[in-house]
Amino acid sequence: QVQLVESGGGLVQPGGSLRLSCAASGSIFRISAMGWYRQAPGKERELVADINYSGLSRNYADSVKGRFTISRDNAKKSVYLQMNSLQPEDTAVYYCKAAIISFADSRSNDYWGQGTQVTVSS
């Protein structure tokens, strides 16, 4: 019953910005790490950024450091990705991932959103 839904993708010009959102819902006991991944055509899915429960530990792919910022709101069960100075090479489907313990299962399981398309083009 756990579900992740992404939003905020779209078409933007080089140098522009987008803010992606991902909201989790369902019978959730705890969400630990959350992150964003992306997959461009013909390429492997790669980690863009992740963040721990407290928000104090954040990791970024080298290609997005200084341009992207990951954040979360535990009260809203959400994670965000602010993307600035976007370039064509950022074009990809962006996926939200969360490690979640549900009320029905004491184990932590990874859940994925359906993805949102980000296209950077002039």
Side-chain angles (χ1 to χ4, degrees):
Q1 295 185 25
V2 174
Q3 186 177 35
L4 300 178
V5 179
E6 302 102 331
S7 63
L11 175 64
V12 65
Q13 294 183 337
S17 298
L18 286 173
R19 183 174 183 263
L20 305 183
S21 299
C22 172
S25 62
S27 57
I28 297 170
F29 173 68
R30 178 186 174 92
I31 305 174
S32 54
M34 304 184 81
W36 289 95
Y37 292 71
R38 68 185 181 187
Q39 187 167 23
K43 295 185 178 180
E44 293 281 297
R45 186 174 298 187
E46 65 174 350
L47 173 69
V48 177
D50 60 19
I51 185 169
N52 72 346
Y53 176 80
S54 68
L56 297 177
S57 180
R58 307 179 189 189
N59 298 300
Y60 297 93
D62 289 340
S63 60
V64 307
K65 286 182 179 177
R67 300 188 297 120
F68 292 10
T69 302
I70 189 170
S71 61
R72 66 189 292 167
D73 185 335
N74 289 337
K76 296 181 178 180
K77 300 184 180 72
S78 297
V79 64
Y80 310 94
L81 186 68
Q82 178 66 47
M83 304 185 294
N84 298 326
S85 301
L86 284 163
Q87 299 300 313
E89 50 265 39
D90 296 315
T91 296
V93 177
Y94 284 70
Y95 298 90
C96 174
K97 189 183 83 171
I100 296 174
I101 300 173
S102 69
F103 287 110
D105 192 347
S106 62
R107 300 170 299 174
S108 179
N109 296 288
D110 288 341
Y111 292 85
W112 291 86
Q114 295 178 327
T116 184
Q117 177 71 47
V118 172
T119 302
V120 185
S121 176
S122 60

